[in-house]
Coordinates of all heavy atoms in Angstrom, one line a residue:
M18 N -56.8 14.9 7.2 CA -57.4 13.8 6.4 C -57.3 12.5 7.2 O -58.3 11.8 7.4 CB -56.9 13.7 5.1 CG -57.7 13.0 4.1 SD -57.1 13.0 2.4 CE -56.1 11.5 2.3
V19 N -56.1 12.2 7.7 CA -55.9 11.0 8.5 C -56.7 11.2 9.8 O -57.4 10.2 10.3 CB -54.4 10.8 8.8 CG1 -54.3 9.6 9.8 CG2 -53.7 10.4 7.5
R20 N -56.6 12.4 10.3 CA -57.3 12.6 11.5 C -58.8 12.4 11.5 O -59.4 11.8 12.4 CB -57.1 14.2 11.9 CG -57.1 14.5 13.3 CD -56.6 15.9 13.6 NE -56.1 15.9 15.0 CZ -57.0 15.9 16.0 NH1 -58.3 15.8 15.8 NH2 -56.5 15.8 17.2
D21 N -59.4 12.9 10.3 CA -60.8 12.7 10.1 C -61.2 11.2 10.1 O -62.2 10.7 10.6 CB -61.3 13.3 8.8 CG -61.2 14.8 8.8 OD1 -61.2 15.4 10.0 OD2 -61.3 15.5 7.8
E22 N -60.3 10.4 9.4 CA -60.5 9.0 9.3 C -60.5 8.3 10.6 O -61.3 7.5 11.0 CB -59.5 8.4 8.3 CG -59.4 6.9 8.2 CD -60.6 6.3 7.5 OE1 -61.4 7.1 6.9 OE2 -60.7 5.0 7.4
L23 N -59.5 8.7 11.4 CA -59.3 8.2 12.8 C -60.5 8.6 13.7 O -61.0 7.8 14.4 CB -58.0 8.7 13.4 CG -56.8 8.0 12.8 CD1 -55.5 8.8 13.2 CD2 -56.6 6.6 13.2
L24 N -60.9 9.8 13.5 CA -62.1 10.3 14.3 C -63.3 9.4 14.0 O -64.1 9.1 14.8 CB -62.3 11.8 14.2 CG -61.3 12.7 14.8 CD1 -61.5 14.1 14.5 CD2 -61.4 12.5 16.4
R25 N -63.5 9.1 12.7 CA -64.6 8.4 12.2 C -64.5 7.0 12.8 O -65.5 6.4 13.3 CB -64.6 8.3 10.7 CG -65.9 7.9 10.1 CD -65.9 7.9 8.6 NE -64.8 7.0 8.1 CZ -64.9 5.7 8.1 NH1 -66.0 5.0 8.6 NH2 -63.9 4.9 7.7
L26 N -63.4 6.4 12.8 CA -63.1 5.0 13.3 C -63.4 5.0 14.8 O -64.0 4.1 15.4 CB -61.7 4.6 13.1 CG -61.3 4.0 11.8 CD1 -59.8 3.8 11.7 CD2 -62.1 2.7 11.5
R27 N -63.1 6.1 15.5 CA -63.2 6.2 16.9 C -64.8 6.2 17.3 O -65.2 5.5 18.2 CB -62.6 7.5 17.4 CG -62.5 7.5 18.9 CD -61.8 8.8 19.4 NE -61.4 8.7 20.8 CZ -62.3 8.7 21.8 NH1 -63.6 8.9 21.5 NH2 -61.9 8.6 23.0
V28 N -65.5 7.0 16.5 CA -67.0 7.1 16.7 C -67.6 5.7 16.5 O -68.4 5.2 17.3 CB -67.6 8.1 15.7 CG1 -69.1 7.9 15.7 CG2 -67.1 9.5 16.1
D29 N -67.2 5.0 15.5 CA -67.6 3.6 15.2 C -67.3 2.7 16.3 O -68.2 1.9 16.8 CB -66.9 3.0 13.9 CG -67.6 3.7 12.6 OD1 -68.5 4.5 12.7 OD2 -67.1 3.3 11.5
A30 N -66.1 2.7 16.7 CA -65.7 1.8 17.8 C -66.4 2.0 19.1 O -66.8 1.2 19.9 CB -64.1 1.8 18.1
Q31 N -66.6 3.3 19.4 CA -67.3 3.7 20.6 C -68.7 3.3 20.5 O -69.3 2.8 21.5 CB -67.2 5.2 20.8 CG -66.1 5.5 21.8 CD -66.1 7.0 22.2 OE1 -66.4 7.8 21.4 NE2 -65.7 7.3 23.4
A32 N -69.4 3.5 19.4 CA -70.8 3.0 19.2 C -70.9 1.6 19.4 O -71.8 1.1 20.0 CB -71.3 3.5 17.9
Q33 N -69.9 0.8 18.8 CA -69.9 -0.7 19.0 C -69.8 -1.0 20.4 O -70.5 -1.9 20.9 CB -68.7 -1.1 18.1 CG -69.0 -2.6 17.7 CD -67.8 -3.1 17.0 OE1 -66.8 -2.4 16.8 NE2 -67.8 -4.4 16.6
A34 N -68.8 -0.4 21.1 CA -68.7 -0.7 22.5 C -69.9 -0.4 23.3 O -70.3 -1.1 24.2 CB -67.5 0.1 23.1
A35 N -70.6 0.7 23.0 CA -71.8 1.1 23.8 C -72.9 0.0 23.5 O -73.6 -0.4 24.5 CB -72.2 2.4 23.3
T36 N -73.1 -0.4 22.2 CA -74.1 -1.4 22.0 C -73.8 -2.8 22.7 O -74.6 -3.4 23.3 CB -74.1 -1.7 20.5 OG1 -74.3 -0.5 19.7 CG2 -75.1 -2.7 20.0
L37 N -72.5 -3.1 22.6 CA -72.1 -4.4 23.3 C -72.3 -4.3 24.8 O -72.8 -5.2 25.4 CB -70.7 -4.7 23.0 CG -70.4 -5.2 21.5 CD1 -68.9 -5.1 21.2 CD2 -70.9 -6.5 21.3
A38 N -72.0 -3.2 25.4 CA -72.2 -3.0 26.8 C -73.7 -3.1 27.2 O -74.0 -3.7 28.2 CB -71.6 -1.6 27.3
R39 N -74.5 -2.5 26.3 CA -76.0 -2.6 26.6 C -76.4 -4.1 26.4 O -77.2 -4.5 27.2 CB -76.7 -1.8 25.5 CG -77.3 -0.5 26.1 CD -78.4 0.2 25.2 NE -78.1 0.1 23.8 CZ -77.3 1.0 23.1 NH1 -76.8 2.0 23.8 NH2 -77.1 0.9 21.9
D40 N -76.0 -4.8 25.4 CA -76.3 -6.2 25.2 C -75.9 -7.0 26.4 O -76.7 -7.9 26.9 CB -75.7 -6.7 24.0 CG -76.2 -6.2 22.7 OD1 -77.3 -5.5 22.8 OD2 -75.8 -6.5 21.6
L41 N -74.7 -6.8 26.9 CA -74.2 -7.5 28.0 C -75.0 -7.3 29.3 O -75.4 -8.2 30.0 CB -72.7 -7.1 28.3 CG -71.8 -8.0 29.0 CD1 -71.8 -9.4 28.4 CD2 -70.4 -7.4 29.1
E42 N -75.4 -6.0 29.5 CA -76.3 -5.6 30.6 C -77.6 -6.3 30.5 O -78.1 -6.9 31.5 CB -76.5 -4.1 30.5 CG -77.4 -3.6 31.6 CD -76.6 -2.8 32.6 OE1 -75.5 -2.4 32.3 OE2 -77.2 -2.5 33.7
A43 N -78.2 -6.4 29.3 CA -79.5 -7.0 29.1 C -79.4 -8.5 29.4 O -80.3 -9.1 30.0 CB -79.9 -6.8 27.7
L44 N -78.3 -9.1 29.0 CA -78.0 -10.5 29.3 C -77.9 -10.8 30.7 O -78.4 -11.8 31.2 CB -76.6 -10.9 28.5 CG -76.5 -12.4 28.2 CD1 -77.6 -12.9 27.3 CD2 -75.2 -12.6 27.6
F45 N -77.2 -9.9 31.5 CA -77.1 -10.1 32.9 C -78.5 -10.0 33.5 O -78.8 -10.8 34.4 CB -76.2 -9.0 33.5 CG -74.7 -9.3 33.5 CD1 -73.8 -8.5 32.9 CD2 -74.2 -10.4 34.2 CE1 -72.4 -8.8 32.9 CE2 -72.9 -10.7 34.2 CZ -72.0 -9.9 33.5
T46 N -79.2 -9.1 33.1 CA -80.6 -8.9 33.7 C -81.4 -10.2 33.4 O -82.1 -10.7 34.2 CB -81.3 -7.7 33.0 OG1 -80.4 -6.6 33.2 CG2 -82.6 -7.4 33.7
A47 N -81.4 -10.6 32.1 CA -82.1 -11.8 31.7 C -81.7 -13.0 32.6 O -82.6 -13.8 32.9 CB -81.9 -12.0 30.2
S48 N -80.4 -13.2 32.7 CA -80.0 -14.4 33.4 C -80.3 -14.4 34.9 O -80.6 -15.3 35.5 CB -78.4 -14.6 33.2 OG -77.7 -13.6 33.9
R49 N -80.3 -13.1 35.4 CA -80.7 -13.0 36.8 C -82.2 -13.2 37.0 O -82.6 -14.0 38.0 CB -80.4 -11.6 37.3 CG -80.3 -11.4 38.8 CD -79.9 -10.0 39.3 NE -80.7 -9.0 38.6 CZ -80.2 -7.9 38.0 NH1 -78.9 -7.7 38.1 NH2 -81.0 -7.0 37.5
D50 N -83.0 -12.7 36.1 CA -84.4 -12.9 36.1 C -84.8 -14.4 36.0 O -85.7 -14.9 36.6 CB -85.1 -12.1 35.0 CG -85.1 -10.6 35.3 OD1 -84.6 -10.3 36.5 OD2 -85.4 -9.8 34.5
S51 N -84.2 -15.2 35.1 CA -84.5 -16.5 34.9 C -84.0 -17.4 35.9 O -84.2 -18.6 36.0 CB -84.0 -17.0 33.5 OG -82.6 -17.1 33.5
N52 N -83.0 -16.8 36.8 CA -82.4 -17.6 37.8 C -81.6 -18.8 37.3 O -81.7 -19.9 37.9 CB -83.4 -18.0 38.9 CG -82.8 -18.0 40.3 OD1 -81.6 -17.7 40.5 ND2 -83.6 -18.4 41.3
A53 N -81.0 -18.7 36.1 CA -80.4 -19.7 35.4 C -79.1 -20.3 36.2 O -78.4 -19.5 36.8 CB -80.0 -19.3 34.1
D54 N -79.0 -21.6 36.2 CA -77.9 -22.2 36.8 C -76.9 -22.6 35.6 O -77.1 -23.4 34.8 CB -78.4 -23.5 37.5 CG -77.2 -24.3 38.2 OD1 -76.1 -24.1 37.7 OD2 -77.5 -24.9 39.2
D55 N -75.8 -21.9 35.7 CA -74.8 -22.1 34.6 C -74.4 -23.5 34.4 O -74.0 -23.9 33.2 CB -73.6 -21.2 34.8 CG -73.7 -19.7 34.2 OD1 -74.9 -19.4 34.0 OD2 -72.8 -19.0 34.1
E56 N -74.3 -24.2 35.5 CA -73.7 -25.6 35.3 C -74.6 -26.6 34.9 O -74.3 -27.6 34.2 CB -73.0 -25.9 36.6 CG -71.6 -25.2 36.8 CD -70.9 -25.7 38.1 OE1 -70.8 -26.9 38.3 OE2 -70.5 -24.8 38.8
H57 N -75.9 -26.5 35.4 CA -76.8 -27.6 35.1 C -78.0 -27.3 34.2 O -78.5 -28.2 33.6 CB -77.4 -28.1 36.5 CG -76.3 -28.5 37.4 ND1 -76.0 -27.7 38.5 CD2 -75.5 -29.5 37.5 CE1 -75.0 -28.3 39.2 NE2 -74.7 -29.4 38.6
D58 N -78.2 -26.0 34.0 CA -79.3 -25.7 33.0 C -78.7 -25.4 31.7 O -77.8 -24.6 31.6 CB -80.0 -24.4 33.6 CG -81.1 -23.9 32.7 OD1 -81.2 -24.4 31.6 OD2 -81.8 -23.0 33.1
P59 N -79.1 -26.1 30.7 CA -78.6 -25.9 29.4 C -78.7 -24.5 28.9 O -77.8 -24.0 28.2 CB -79.3 -26.9 28.5 CG -80.4 -27.5 29.3 CD -80.1 -27.2 30.7
E60 N -79.8 -23.9 29.2 CA -80.0 -22.4 28.8 C -79.0 -21.6 29.5 O -78.5 -20.6 29.0 CB -81.4 -22.0 29.1 CG -81.8 -20.8 28.4 CD -83.3 -20.3 28.6 OE1 -84.0 -21.3 28.9 OE2 -83.5 -19.1 28.6
G61 N -78.6 -21.9 30.8 CA -77.7 -21.2 31.6 C -76.3 -21.2 30.9 O -75.5 -20.2 30.8
A62 N -76.0 -22.4 30.4 CA -74.7 -22.5 29.7 C -74.6 -21.7 28.4 O -73.6 -21.1 28.2 CB -74.5 -24.1 29.3
T63 N -75.8 -21.6 27.7 CA -75.8 -20.8 26.5 C -75.6 -19.3 26.9 O -74.8 -18.6 26.3 CB -77.1 -20.9 25.8 OG1 -77.4 -22.3 25.6 CG2 -77.1 -20.2 24.5
I64 N -76.2 -18.9 28.0 CA -76.1 -17.5 28.4 C -74.6 -17.3 28.8 O -74.1 -16.3 28.5 CB -77.1 -17.2 29.6 CG1 -78.5 -17.1 29.1 CG2 -76.7 -15.9 30.3 CD1 -79.6 -17.1 30.1
G65 N -74.0 -18.2 29.5 CA -72.7 -18.1 29.9 C -71.7 -17.9 28.7 O -70.8 -17.1 28.7
F66 N -72.0 -18.7 27.6 CA -71.2 -18.6 26.4 C -71.4 -17.3 25.7 O -70.4 -16.6 25.3 CB -71.6 -19.8 25.5 CG -71.0 -19.7 24.1 CD1 -69.7 -20.1 24.0 CD2 -71.7 -19.3 23.0 CE1 -69.0 -20.0 22.8 CE2 -71.1 -19.3 21.8 CZ -69.8 -19.6 21.6
E67 N -72.7 -16.9 25.6 CA -73.0 -15.5 25.0 C -72.3 -14.4 25.8 O -71.8 -13.4 25.2 CB -74.5 -15.3 25.1 CG -75.2 -15.5 23.7 CD -76.7 -15.2 23.8 OE1 -77.0 -14.0 23.9 OE2 -77.5 -16.1 23.8
R68 N -72.3 -14.5 27.2 CA -71.8 -13.5 28.0 C -70.2 -13.5 27.8 O -69.6 -12.4 27.6 CB -72.0 -13.8 29.5 CG -71.7 -12.7 30.4 CD -72.4 -13.0 31.8 NE -72.2 -14.3 32.3 CZ -73.0 -14.9 33.2 NH1 -74.0 -14.3 33.6 NH2 -72.6 -16.1 33.6
A69 N -69.6 -14.6 27.6 CA -68.2 -14.7 27.4 C -67.8 -14.0 26.0 O -66.9 -13.3 25.9 CB -67.7 -16.1 27.5
Q70 N -68.6 -14.3 25.0 CA -68.4 -13.8 23.7 C -68.6 -12.3 23.7 O -67.8 -11.5 23.1 CB -69.5 -14.4 22.7 CG -68.9 -15.5 21.9 CD -69.8 -15.8 20.7 OE1 -71.0 -15.6 20.8 NE2 -69.2 -16.3 19.7
L71 N -69.7 -11.8 24.4 CA -69.9 -10.3 24.3 C -68.8 -9.6 25.2 O -68.4 -8.5 24.7 CB -71.3 -10.1 25.0 CG -72.5 -10.3 24.2 CD1 -73.8 -10.1 25.0 CD2 -72.6 -9.3 23.0
T72 N -68.4 -10.2 26.2 CA -67.3 -9.7 27.0 C -66.0 -9.5 26.2 O -65.3 -8.5 26.3 CB -67.0 -10.5 28.3 OG1 -68.2 -10.7 29.0 CG2 -65.9 -9.9 29.1
A73 N -65.7 -10.6 25.4 CA -64.5 -10.5 24.5 C -64.7 -9.4 23.4 O -63.7 -8.7 23.2 CB -64.3 -11.9 23.9
L74 N -65.9 -9.4 22.9 CA -66.1 -8.3 21.8 C -66.0 -6.9 22.3 O -65.5 -6.0 21.7 CB -67.5 -8.6 21.2 CG -67.7 -9.8 20.3 CD1 -69.1 -10.0 19.8 CD2 -66.8 -9.6 18.9
L75 N -66.6 -6.8 23.6 CA -66.5 -5.5 24.3 C -65.1 -5.0 24.5 O -64.7 -3.9 24.3 CB -67.4 -5.6 25.5 CG -67.5 -4.2 26.3 CD1 -68.1 -3.1 25.5 CD2 -68.4 -4.5 27.6
A76 N -64.3 -6.0 25.0 CA -62.9 -5.7 25.3 C -62.2 -5.3 24.0 O -61.4 -4.3 24.0 CB -62.3 -6.9 25.9
A77 N -62.5 -6.0 22.9 CA -61.8 -5.7 21.6 C -62.3 -4.3 21.1 O -61.4 -3.6 20.6 CB -62.2 -6.7 20.5
A78 N -63.5 -4.0 21.3 CA -64.1 -2.7 20.9 C -63.4 -1.5 21.7 O -62.9 -0.5 21.1 CB -65.6 -2.5 21.0
R79 N -63.2 -1.8 23.0 CA -62.6 -0.7 23.8 C -61.1 -0.6 23.5 O -60.5 0.5 23.6 CB -62.8 -1.1 25.3 CG -64.3 -0.9 25.7 CD -64.4 -1.1 27.2 NE -65.7 -0.6 27.6 CZ -66.5 -1.1 28.6 NH1 -66.0 -2.1 29.3 NH2 -67.7 -0.6 28.8
E80 N -60.5 -1.7 23.2 CA -59.1 -1.8 22.8 C -58.9 -1.0 21.5 O -58.0 -0.2 21.4 CB -58.6 -3.2 22.6 CG -57.2 -3.4 22.0 CD -56.2 -3.1 23.0 OE1 -56.5 -2.9 24.2 OE2 -55.1 -2.8 22.6
R81 N -59.9 -1.1 20.6 CA -59.9 -0.4 19.3 C -59.9 1.1 19.6 O -59.2 1.9 18.9 CB -61.0 -0.9 18.5 CG -61.2 -0.1 17.2 CD -60.1 -0.3 16.2 NE -59.7 -1.6 16.0 CZ -60.2 -2.4 14.9 NH1 -61.0 -1.8 14.1 NH2 -59.7 -3.6 14.8
V82 N -60.8 1.5 20.5 CA -60.9 2.9 20.9 C -59.6 3.4 21.3 O -59.1 4.5 20.9 CB -62.0 3.2 21.9 CG1 -62.0 4.6 22.4 CG2 -63.4 2.9 21.3
A83 N -58.9 2.7 22.2 CA -57.7 3.1 22.8 C -56.6 3.2 21.7 O -55.8 4.1 21.7 CB -57.2 2.1 23.9
E84 N -56.6 2.2 20.8 CA -55.6 2.2 19.6 C -55.8 3.4 18.8 O -54.8 4.1 18.4 CB -55.8 1.0 18.8 CG -55.1 -0.3 19.3 CD -55.1 -1.4 18.3 OE1 -56.2 -2.0 18.1 OE2 -54.1 -1.6 17.7
V85 N -57.0 3.8 18.6 CA -57.3 5.0 17.7 C -56.9 6.3 18.4 O -56.3 7.1 17.8 CB -58.8 5.1 17.3 CG1 -59.1 6.3 16.6 CG2 -59.1 3.9 16.3
D86 N -57.2 6.3 19.8 CA -56.8 7.4 20.6 C -55.3 7.6 20.5 O -54.8 8.7 20.4 CB -57.2 7.2 22.0 CG -58.6 7.8 22.3 OD1 -59.1 8.5 21.5 OD2 -59.1 7.5 23.4
D87 N -54.6 6.5 20.5 CA -53.1 6.5 20.5 C -52.7 7.0 19.2 O -51.7 7.8 19.1 CB -52.6 5.1 20.7 CG -51.5 5.1 21.6 OD1 -51.7 5.4 22.8 OD2 -50.4 4.8 21.2
A88 N -53.3 6.6 18.1 CA -53.0 7.1 16.7 C -53.2 8.6 16.6 O -52.4 9.3 16.0 CB -53.7 6.3 15.7
L89 N -54.3 9.1 17.2 CA -54.6 10.5 17.2 C -53.5 11.3 17.9 O -53.1 12.4 17.4 CB -56.0 10.8 17.8 CG -57.2 10.4 16.9 CD1 -58.5 10.4 17.7 CD2 -57.3 11.5 15.8
R90 N -53.0 10.7 19.0 CA -51.9 11.4 19.7 C -50.7 11.5 18.8 O -50.0 12.5 18.8 CB -51.6 10.7 21.0 CG -52.4 11.2 22.2 CD -51.8 10.7 23.6 NE -52.0 9.2 23.7 CZ -53.1 8.7 24.2 NH1 -54.1 9.4 24.5 NH2 -53.1 7.4 24.3
R91 N -50.5 10.4 18.1 CA -49.3 10.4 17.2 C -49.4 11.5 16.1 O -48.5 12.0 15.6 CB -49.0 9.0 16.6 CG -48.6 8.0 17.7 CD -47.9 6.8 17.1 NE -48.8 6.0 16.2 CZ -49.7 5.1 16.6 NH1 -49.9 4.9 17.9 NH2 -50.4 4.5 15.7
V92 N -50.7 11.6 15.6 CA -51.0 12.6 14.5 C -50.6 14.0 15.1 O -49.9 14.8 14.5 CB -52.5 12.6 14.1 CG1 -52.8 13.8 13.2 CG2 -52.8 11.2 13.3
D93 N -51.1 14.3 16.3 CA -50.8 15.5 17.0 C -49.4 15.8 17.2 O -48.8 16.9 17.2 CB -51.6 15.7 18.3 CG -53.1 15.8 18.0 OD1 -53.5 16.2 16.9 OD2 -53.9 15.5 19.0
A94 N -48.6 14.7 17.5 CA -47.2 14.8 17.8 C -46.4 14.8 16.6 O -45.2 15.1 16.6 CB -46.8 13.6 18.7
G95 N -47.0 14.5 15.4 CA -46.3 14.5 14.2 C -45.5 13.2 13.9 O -44.6 13.2 13.0
T96 N -45.7 12.2 14.7 CA -45.0 11.0 14.5 C -45.9 9.9 13.9 O -45.4 8.8 13.7 CB -44.5 10.4 15.9 OG1 -45.6 10.1 16.7 CG2 -43.6 11.4 16.6
Y97 N -47.1 10.3 13.5 CA -48.0 9.3 12.8 C -47.4 8.8 11.5 O -46.9 9.6 10.7 CB -49.3 9.9 12.5 CG -50.4 9.0 11.9 CD1 -51.0 8.1 12.7 CD2 -50.5 9.0 10.5 CE1 -51.9 7.2 12.1 CE2 -51.4 8.2 9.9 CZ -52.0 7.2 10.7 OH -52.9 6.3 10.1
G98 N -47.5 7.5 11.3 CA -47.1 6.9 10.0 C -45.6 6.4 10.1 O -45.2 5.7 9.2
A99 N -44.9 6.7 11.2 CA -43.5 6.2 11.4 C -43.6 5.0 12.2 O -44.3 4.9 13.2 CB -42.7 7.3 12.1
C100 N -42.9 4.0 11.8 CA -42.9 2.7 12.5 C -42.2 2.8 13.9 O -41.2 3.5 14.0 CB -42.1 1.6 11.7 SG -41.9 0.1 12.6
E101 N -42.9 2.2 14.9 CA -42.3 2.3 16.3 C -41.2 1.4 16.5 O -40.4 1.5 17.4 CB -43.4 2.1 17.3 CG -44.3 3.2 17.6 CD -45.4 2.9 18.6 OE1 -45.3 1.8 19.2 OE2 -46.2 3.8 19.0
G102 N -41.0 0.4 15.5 CA -40.0 -0.5 15.6 C -38.7 0.0 15.0 O -37.6 0.1 15.7
C103 N -38.7 0.4 13.7 CA -37.5 0.8 13.0 C -37.5 2.2 12.6 O -36.5 2.7 12.1 CB -37.5 -0.1 11.7 SG -38.8 0.1 10.5
G104 N -38.6 3.0 12.8 CA -38.6 4.4 12.5 C -38.8 4.7 11.1 O -39.0 5.9 10.7
R105 N -38.9 3.7 10.2 CA -39.2 3.9 8.7 C -40.7 4.2 8.6 O -41.5 3.8 9.4 CB -38.7 2.8 7.9 CG -37.2 2.8 7.7 CD -36.8 1.9 6.7 NE -36.8 0.5 7.0 CZ -35.9 -0.3 7.5 NH1 -34.6 0.3 7.6 NH2 -36.0 -1.5 7.9
P106 N -41.0 4.9 7.5 CA -42.5 5.1 7.3 C -43.2 3.8 7.0 O -42.7 2.9 6.4 CB -42.5 5.9 5.9 CG -41.1 6.4 5.7 CD -40.2 5.5 6.4
I107 N -44.4 3.7 7.6 CA -45.3 2.6 7.4 C -45.9 2.7 6.0 O -46.3 3.7 5.5 CB -46.3 2.5 8.5 CG1 -45.7 2.4 9.8 CG2 -47.3 1.3 8.2 CD1 -46.7 2.5 11.0
A108 N -46.0 1.5 5.2 CA -46.5 1.6 3.9 C -47.9 2.1 3.9 O -48.7 1.8 4.7 CB -46.5 0.2 3.3
A109 N -48.3 2.9 2.9 CA -49.6 3.5 2.7 C -50.7 2.5 2.7 O -51.7 2.8 3.3 CB -49.5 4.4 1.4
E110 N -50.4 1.4 2.0 CA -51.5 0.3 1.9 C -51.8 -0.2 3.3 O -52.9 -0.5 3.6 CB -51.1 -0.9 1.0 CG -50.5 -0.5 -0.3 CD -48.9 -0.3 -0.2 OE1 -48.2 -1.3 0.0 OE2 -48.5 0.9 -0.2
R111 N -50.7 -0.3 4.2 CA -51.0 -0.9 5.5 C -51.8 0.1 6.3 O -52.7 -0.3 7.1 CB -49.6 -1.1 6.1 CG -49.8 -1.7 7.6 CD -48.4 -2.3 8.1 NE -48.4 -2.5 9.5 CZ -49.1 -3.5 10.1 NH1 -49.7 -4.4 9.4 NH2 -49.0 -3.7 11.4
L112 N -51.4 1.4 6.2 CA -52.1 2.4 6.9 C -53.6 2.6 6.4 O -54.5 2.9 7.2 CB -51.5 3.8 6.8 CG -50.2 3.9 7.7 CD1 -49.5 5.3 7.4 CD2 -50.5 3.8 9.2
A113 N -53.8 2.3 5.1 CA -55.2 2.4 4.6 C -56.0 1.2 5.2 O -57.2 1.5 5.5 CB -55.1 2.2 3.0
A114 N -55.4 0.0 5.4 CA -56.1 -1.1 5.9 C -56.2 -1.0 7.5 O -57.2 -1.3 8.0 CB -55.4 -2.4 5.6
R115 N -55.2 -0.5 8.1 CA -55.1 -0.3 9.6 C -54.6 1.1 9.9 O -53.4 1.2 10.2 CB -54.2 -1.4 10.2 CG -54.8 -2.8 10.2 CD -53.7 -3.8 10.7 NE -53.4 -3.5 12.1 CZ -54.1 -3.9 13.2 NH1 -55.0 -4.8 13.0 NH2 -53.7 -3.7 14.4
P116 N -55.4 2.1 9.9 CA -55.0 3.4 10.1 C -54.3 3.7 11.5 O -53.6 4.7 11.6 CB -56.2 4.3 10.0 CG -57.3 3.4 9.4 CD -56.9 2.0 9.8
F117 N -54.5 2.7 12.4 CA -53.9 2.9 13.7 C -52.7 2.0 13.9 O -52.2 1.8 15.0 CB -55.0 2.5 14.8 CG -55.8 1.3 14.5 CD1 -55.3 0.1 14.7 CD2 -57.1 1.5 13.8 CE1 -56.0 -1.0 14.3 CE2 -57.8 0.3 13.6 CZ -57.2 -0.9 13.8
A118 N -52.2 1.5 12.8 CA -51.0 0.6 12.9 C -49.8 1.3 13.5 O -49.6 2.5 13.2 CB -50.6 0.0 11.5
R119 N -49.1 0.7 14.4 CA -47.8 1.3 15.0 C -46.6 0.9 14.4 O -45.6 1.5 14.5 CB -47.8 0.9 16.5 CG -48.9 1.3 17.3 CD -48.8 0.3 18.6 NE -49.9 0.7 19.5 CZ -49.7 1.6 20.4 NH1 -48.5 2.2 20.6 NH2 -50.6 1.9 21.2
R120 N -46.7 -0.3 13.8 CA -45.4 -0.8 13.2 C -45.6 -1.2 11.7 O -46.7 -1.5 11.2 CB -45.1 -2.1 14.0 CG -44.6 -1.8 15.3 CD -44.7 -3.0 16.2 NE -44.3 -2.7 17.6 CZ -43.1 -2.8 18.1 NH1 -42.1 -3.2 17.3 NH2 -42.8 -2.5 19.3
C121 N -44.5 -1.2 11.0 CA -44.5 -1.6 9.6 C -44.7 -3.1 9.6 O -44.6 -3.8 10.5 CB -43.2 -1.2 8.9 SG -41.8 -2.1 9.4
V122 N -45.0 -3.7 8.3 CA -45.3 -5.1 8.2 C -44.1 -5.9 8.7 O -44.3 -6.9 9.4 CB -45.5 -5.4 6.7 CG1 -45.9 -6.9 6.5 CG2 -46.7 -4.6 6.2
T123 N -42.9 -5.5 8.4 CA -41.6 -6.2 8.8 C -41.6 -6.3 10.3 O -41.4 -7.4 10.9 CB -40.4 -5.6 8.2 OG1 -40.6 -5.2 6.9 CG2 -39.2 -6.5 8.4
C124 N -41.8 -5.1 11.0 CA -41.6 -5.2 12.5 C -42.8 -5.9 13.2 O -42.6 -6.4 14.2 CB -41.5 -3.8 13.0 SG -39.9 -3.0 12.5
A125 N -44.0 -5.8 12.5 CA -45.2 -6.4 13.1 C -45.1 -7.9 13.0 O -45.7 -8.6 13.8 CB -46.4 -5.9 12.5
A126 N -44.4 -8.4 12.0 CA -44.3 -9.9 11.8 C -43.6 -10.6 12.9 O -42.6 -10.0 13.6 CB -43.6 -10.2 10.5
Ligands
LIG218 ZN1 -40.6 -1.2 11.2

């Protein structure tokens, strides 16, 4: 059951990463075609800002995929749901909100 939830999250995160990678690619192509000057052209500055935002979002989406992969490994190893800090079980509410959480609320704080 947890595995299914994690697999679903993984599909979502991967789809998000793929979309962001495509958007970023389109932005690169657009900025190359318009020959925008990042420093002096106001439109170039906007593209630079958008590019930075998309890059950050893409990194976050890829990080999410990695976190979910890690959680899936813990499910397979039978250690899923145990806090990596203190070894105690992570609260069910926390796992419901963040199924890939590695630490309990106390250790994460
Ligand atoms: Zn803990």
